[in-house]
Amino acid sequence: MFQFRTLPGSSLSGYLTYSKSEYSFSFDAADEADLAERMGEGRRTSLVIDTLQLETDADSGAVLYAWGYFPAQSWVPARLPVPPAAQARVSVEADPPLEEAVSVPVWRGQEFAVEHDEETGWIRVSRSPSGAGAYAEIASGVVLQLVEGELSAVWLHPHIAE
């Protein structure tokens, strides 16, 4: 069970990349000191959606950025609106509590869709196509869509590398 909260603050500045040759996302923080401050003691874990990972501080629950192996072959072409996101921080409370280096599935046993708008470059990983909820840009190119404290979608806007 997860409870997500939006908190005031700026998003983590950096560079979200999707490598076509490696079938994966990576995130490079623009300011390592800012990343270190957000990571606290550095006890990290990941909330996972299949193989997409949301890097999270295991102690504070701060959701930091997205990364991971996530092949584009399964993405469905779609027309996606630009998510109306504001910069914010998001934290998660988990029951049982998060543990360092123990990845936890967010949508265990639930189906989800992966849509890609080639024209705008946006990718939406979601449980439903609903546009409802609050949108929080937690890191450059990474937006979380929350509905009543639950994660509804992850929106990604990466730079594409061959």
Side-chain angles (χ1 to χ4, degrees):
M1 175 65 112
F2 299 98
Q3 183 68 34
F4 289 84
R5 289 188 326 239
T6 302
L7 306 169
S10 61
S11 62
L12 179 61
S13 182
Y15 203 72
L16 180 67
T17 302
Y18 184 78
S19 170
K20 287 183 175 182
S21 64
E22 296 177 5
Y23 308 107
S24 64
F25 290 99
S26 63
F27 186 84
D28 294 309
D31 182 346
E32 290 297 323
D34 184 25
L35 177 59
E37 178 268 324
R38 293 169 192 248
M39 288 179 12
E41 298 296 316
R43 293 176 11 96
R44 299 182 344 196
T45 190
S46 290
L47 304 177
V48 295
I49 301 167
D50 193 29
T51 55
L52 179 66
Q53 303 193 47
L54 297 174
E55 191 74 2
T56 304
D57 176 63
D59 296 317
S60 71
V63 184
L64 302 168
Y65 55 86
W67 68 282
Y69 176 78
F70 208 67
Q73 290 82 344
S74 63
W75 303 354
V76 176
R79 300 281 305 161
L80 298 173
V82 174
Q87 289 192 16
R89 295 186 183 196
V90 169
S91 71
V92 62
E93 289 181 19
D95 185 19
L98 298 173
E99 295 181 46
E100 181 178 18
V102 178
S103 297
V104 182
V106 178
W107 299 329
R108 183 184 310 260
Q110 298 179 14
E111 293 198 21
F112 62 92
V114 182
E115 300 166 293
H116 176 231
D117 188 329
E118 194 168 312
E119 187 174 309
T120 65
W122 280 100
I123 300 158
R124 177 173 60 190
V125 181
S126 65
R127 291 187 309 169
S128 71
S130 171
Y135 296 80
E137 180 189 38
I138 62 165
S140 300
V142 182
V143 173
L144 302 184
Q145 183 180 349
L146 307 176
V147 176
E148 297 178 5
E150 292 187 16
L151 181 65
S152 174
V154 177
W155 294 73
L156 304 166
H157 196 253
H159 300 276
I160 305 295
E162 296 300 320

